[in-house]
Amino acid sequence: MLTSIKENHLTNKGQELGMMYFRVAIILFGAQLVMGLIAAIQFLAPGFLFELFDFSVARMVHINALVVWMLYAMIGATYMMLTDETGHEGVAIGLGKLGFWLLTAAVTVVVLVYIIVQVGPGTEASLWLIHEGREYIEAPRWADIGIVVVVLIFYFNVFATYMKGEKTGIMTVMVANLLALAGLYMAGMFYTDNISMDQFWWWWVIHLWVEATWEVFVGTLAAYALIKIIGAKREIVEMWLWIEVLMLFGSGILGMGHHYFWIGTPEYWWEIGALFSALEPVPLIAMFVHVLYDWGKEQGIAEGRGETASVITNGPAMAWIVTNAFGNFLGAGIWGFFHTLPQVNIYTHGTQFTAAHGHLSFFGAYATILIGMMYYGLQRAYGVQRMKLTFKSKMGIFLTTFGVMGMTIALTIAGYEQVIVERGEMGATWNAFFVAQNLPWYVQAQMWRAIMGVVTLLGFIYLAWDLLTIGKVSKEAEA
Amino acid sequence: MANKNLSVWTSIPFWRRSAAWVTGFASILLIWLTFDTLGQITMGTDDDLKNGVTKRVPAATVINYKIGYEMSTKRGHEVPTIGEKEPFFGKEWSADDAADLLHLGKLTSQTKNCMNCHTLLGNGAYYAPDLTKAWIDPAWSKTGPMMAMTGKSTKEEAIAEFLQHPSTYPTHARMMPELGITADEAKGLVAFLKHMSSIDTNGFPRNFGKEEGSTNAH
Amino acid sequence: MIEPLTDVVPSFFAMLNQGPLTLTIALHTVIILPMFWIYRSEKKRLESQE
Ligand code: HEM
Ligand code: HEM
Ligand SMILES: [Fe+2]
C-alpha cells in the first residue's frame, strides 16, 4: 500500500487520490480498535485510566474514528471508480489533493484536541473549538465548516466529471446519492436548548446516513465491483441497483420513525417507525441474493464455455464483498429487526442490545465492502491481473469477522440480561442499572466482548500487514 | 441490443422511474411529518404552564414545579405530571432566568460529554444510567441515600454537589469522574435534568422506579 | 371500529393513527398505487417500441 502510487500503474490521478484516502482510512481504523479496547477494559476494570482517559473520551474517539475512516474510504472508493465509470480523467484532481491534505490536517488536530483537552467549560466556545458532545458527530464547529468545504470540493469533482463524461446508471445513482449524503450532514450542525429537538435532527444525520444514503452507496460500490471483479453484466447490475434504491429509500426514509418512539415526539411515529423499518431488511436480503446469484451465474457461464479458472479476478476483494452481503443482512437486517418494533424497543432502547446491533451493522454493512474496495485499489495500483488471497488475507478476514461476530453475540447476551433485569424487572433506575451491570452473566459477557475485541485487533494486524504487502507479492508472483 | 424483452419487470426505465417516485414521495412525507412533529416538540411557554396546557416539551420554567411520572389510563402508559410549585435552589425562577439556566445546563451537558457515558432520552452510551428521568430517581428522593451522603437538604443541591465532585460520592466501583464542573454549571445541569424529566416520552422508561428491592436473576 | 385518539395533539397523522396499522397502511398505499400507473405506461412504451 505504501508504494502503491510510486508503482505508476494507476492510469489516472483520481485513483492516486483514492489510494491516499485509503491509507488514512486504515490508520484510523486501527486507532478505532485501540480506543474500543480501552473502553471495553473500563467496563471490566473501572479504575483503568480513571480521570486520565475516561470512558467518554475513549468512546468518543472510537466512534468518531469509525465515522471518519468510513467517510475517507468512501471518498477513496468514489475517486477509484470515477474515471472508469465516466471515461473521463477527473476534472480538478489537484484541488481534490489539496482538499485531502486540508481534511487530514483538520482530522489530526481534532483528534489531538479530543485526546488532550477532552472537555471544556459550558460555553459556546467549547462547541466551536473542542467538541459538540453529540455522539458520532462530535467534531467541533470549526471542523464542521472545514468538512463542508472539503466535501464541496470532492462533490464538485465528482459532479463535474460526471457531467463531462459518460452517464452510467451507477454514476447517476452515485451523484444523486452523494448530494443527499453531504447535505444531511448539515442537519447536525446547529445547537438548541431543546433536547428533543436536538435528538430529532441528530437522527436525520445518523439514521438517514446509515440506513438510507450509505446503504445506497454500498449498492453502487457492489454494482461497480461486481462488474470489475467477476465480470457481471452491466444491464443486470444496474437494474438491481435501481430496485435496491427503490426499496432502500422506500423503507429507510420513513423507517427513521423507529428513533422517534421515545424522544418526546408524537405517538404516530410508533406505527410509521415500526412498519417502514420492518421492511428495511428486505432490500438487504435482495442485495445478498444479488451478489451470490451473480457470482454463481458468471461462474456457470464461464464453465459452460469450458473455462476452469475462477471468474474472480480479485480474491480478497470478493471475499470481503461476500462478507458484506452476509454481514449487512445479519447486522442491519436481523439485529436491527430484533429491536425495531416499539413493543420491544421500549425495553431495549439504549441498552447493550443496541451496542450489539451497532457493531455488527457498521462492520457488516460498511467496514467489509470498504476494505474490499481497498484490495481492489491495490490490484489496480500494482497492475496485478489476478489477485489471490494470501495467508495474511485469510487470517485478516477470518479473525476480524470472527471477532466482531463474537463481540456481537457477547453484547447480545449482556443486552438480554440488562433488558430483563434493569428494564423488565426493576424499572430502569440508577440502582436497577447497576444491579443488572453486576450480574455474573452480564460480567462474563463483557469479558467475552473484551476477548473477542482482542481477536478483532489481531485480525486487523493481519489485515493491515496484508494490505501493505499483497500488492508487491501478487505482482512478483505474476512476473 | 434490440429490445425484444417485453417484460416490464426487467426494464431498467421502469425501476428507475419507480425508484424516483418512491424516494421523492417518501421524502415529501418525511418533510410533512417533520413539520407536524416540530410544531409538537417546540418548547411551550411559561403561560402554557400557568394555564395547565400540556406540552410535550414544556418551558424552562417547569423547574419551578414538582414533576412526577404517573400511569395515564387514557394514554396507556406513564406520562410526566406537572404538579404544584416548589422552590428550585431556594427560589422561583423567572422565564428569562430559567431559560438562561437551562441554556447553560444543556450547553454544559454537551461540552462535558455526558452522552458518551450516559443515555439521554435513551440515546448515547451504555456505561452509566439513563438520565431521562434521573431527576425523579428514588436515590435522590428524601428516602434515598444521596441527600444524606452529600449532606444537602434539597434534591437539587444534592445533585449539584454530586456533579461537581462525583468521585467523592461513589456508590459503585464504576464511578463518574471529575469533569471540572463549576457550581454554576452544576446548577444549570440540574435544571437540564429536571427539564428533561418533564418531557413526554410516550412512556419510556416503562415502570420507572416502580420496583424496589433486588432480584435473584443470573 | 374507530378508536379514541390518545396522543397529546390531535394532528392529521394522529387522526389517521387508528389502532393497528391504519396509518402505515394508508401511507404504504399512497406510495404503492402510483407504481401501477408507472407499470402500465412503461408497458405501453415497450409495446410501441416493438
Ligand atoms: C447498515 C445499516 C445500519 C447501521 C450501521 C446501524 C447502526 C445503528 C447504530 C450505531 C445504532 C445506535 C445509535 C446510538 O448510538 O444511539 C442503531 C440503532 C438502531 N437501529 Fe440500526 N443500523 C443499521 C440498520 C438498521 C436496520 C435495517 C434496522 C431495522 C430493521 C435498525 C434498527 C435500529 C433501531 C431500532 C435502533 C435504536 C436502538 C435503540 O433504541 O437503542 N438499524 N443502529
Ligand atoms: C477491538 C474491537 C472493539 C472493541 C473492544 C469495541 C468496544 C466498544 C465499546 C466499549 C463501545 C461503547 C459501548 C457502550 O456505550 O456501552 C463501543 C461502541 C461502538 N463501537 Fe466498538 N469496539 C470494537 C470494534 C468496533 C468495530 C470494528 C466497529 C464497527 C465497524 C465498532 C463500532 C462501534 C459503534 C457503532 C459503537 C456505538 C454503539 C452504540 O452506541 O450503540 N466497534 N465499542
Ligand atoms: Fe435507524
Side-chain angles (χ1 to χ4, degrees), chain B:
Chain B
M1 191 177 76
N3 204 339
K4 285 205 218 83
N5 185 352
L6 258 188
S7 170
V8 177
W9 300 114
T10 53
S11 138
I12 290 186
F14 168 68
W15 291 110
R16 187 169 54 220
R17 288 172 68 191
S18 298
W21 154 255
V22 169
T23 306
F25 193 66
S27 308
I28 290 170
L29 277 175
L30 178 66
I31 290 168
W32 183 7
L33 282 155
T34 295
F35 275 110
D36 192 81
T37 296
L38 290 184
Q40 295 196 42
I41 64 173
T42 304
M43 258 192 230
T45 61
D46 194 32
D47 286 338
D48 289 336
L49 280 170
K50 286 189 182 126
N51 302 328
V53 178
T54 311
K55 282 284 176 184
R56 291 192 152 270
V57 183
T61 38
V62 76
I63 57 175
N64 293 322
Y65 296 81
K66 269 209 168 71
I67 291 163
Y69 191 51
E70 313 257 312
M71 188 67 192
S72 150
T73 41
K74 174 174 172 250
R75 301 279 301 278
H77 52 72
E78 289 142 300
V79 292
T81 54
I82 296 171
E84 60 202 42
K85 286 210 167 148
E86 65 178 9
F88 187 69
F89 287 104
K91 68 170 193 182
E92 178 167 349
W93 295 68
S94 72
D96 282 349
D97 289 352
D100 286 348
L101 193 65
L102 179 64
H103 175 67
L104 175 64
K106 169 67 171 29
L107 204 53
T108 310
S109 80
Q110 286 183 224
T111 65
K112 301 290 179 189
N113 220 346
C114 314
M115 248 196 157
N116 266 316
C117 283
H118 293 275
T119 42
L120 309 178
L121 302 177
N123 295 326
Y126 322 118
Y127 186 70
D130 180 51
L131 294 180
T132 311
K133 301 288 170 192
W135 171 257
I136 47 178
D137 195 291
W140 295 113
S141 71
K142 287 243 162 8
T143 50
M146 291 312 290
M147 274 199 212
M149 197 193 240
T150 52
K152 301 287 174 184
S153 56
T154 64
K155 191 195 280 196
E156 55 272 24
E157 286 167 324
I159 302 181
E161 172 65 20
F162 170 81
L163 289 177
Q164 288 169 74
H165 312 288
S167 47
T168 316
Y169 307 104
T171 45
H172 299 91
R174 195 188 298 168
M175 288 184 284
M176 173 160 158
E178 297 266 351
L179 296 165
I181 295 171
T182 66
D184 278 344
E185 287 169 351
K187 261 191 191 173
L189 284 169
V190 181
F192 170 67
L193 292 175
K194 186 167 183 182
H195 177 256
M196 184 158 59
S197 74
S198 74
I199 294 175
D200 187 332
T201 51
N202 295 340
F204 173 84
R206 181 164 283 185
N207 294 325
F208 185 78
K210 288 291 177 300
E211 199 85 12
E212 282 173 349
S214 192
T215 168
N216 294 314
H218 285 283

Side-chain angles (χ1 to χ4, degrees), chain A residues 29 32-33 36-37 39-40 43 55 59 62-63 66 70 135-136 352 354-355 358-359 362-363 367 404 407 449 453 456-457, chain B residues 124-127:
Chain A
F29 185 21
Q32 182 209 344
L33 297 185
L37 269 178
F43 260 101
F55 181 87
R59 187 183 192 272
H62 179 58
I63 58 180
L66 162 78
M70 290 194 170
E135 272 195 295
Y136 306 98
Q352 294 298 324
T354 313
H359 279 86
F362 260 110
F363 178 79
V404 173
M407 287 197 292
R449 189 268 290 275
T456 311
L457 184 66
Chain B
Y126 322 118
Y127 186 70

